[in-house]
Amino acid sequence: MSEEKHEYDDSMMIDDDETALEIAALQSEDMLPQPKKEYIYHKEALTALLDEISQKKFKWIQRCDITSSEPIVVDKTEDDLDRELKFYQQGLEAAIQGKQEVLNAGVPFERPDDYFAEMVKSDAHMARIRDKLIT
């Protein structure tokens, strides 16, 4: 009989523990209703902040932003080739537009004709490679 009583006490403890956990969860701050936040639309203040952070006052060369003339529209999202082609076309348009903007800003874009850079491979090695490619 003592074993039966012991089993009964264990089951009661489990129920008591679960009840205690439920009560603790309900009393936690996460479960308490939070005061409703009031959102106020101050159009003038928002416009002033937008003007403050707007980059329109900077020259393009300081912003370097480019927006595509047309959004990408992919008919079939599963068609990887079509999707990549659209990304390529958008990137190409941005590169052409960016180069034009840099030139309009008067910033040198291309290397001068007399520019010589230190090469990793010797001229003799590059000549051998050129000969192999040509023949």
Side-chain angles (χ1 to χ4, degrees), residues 13-24:
M13 287 177 59
I14 291 173
D15 289 340
D16 290 341
D17 289 341
E18 288 177 0
T19 304
L21 288 174
E22 289 173 1
I23 291 171

Side-chain angles (χ1 to χ4, degrees), residues 44-58:
E44 298 82 19
L46 290 173
T47 305
L49 288 172
L50 180 62
D51 290 340
E52 183 179 327
I53 64 171
S54 175
Q55 295 185 357
K56 291 181 182 178
K57 59 188 169 200
F58 298 116

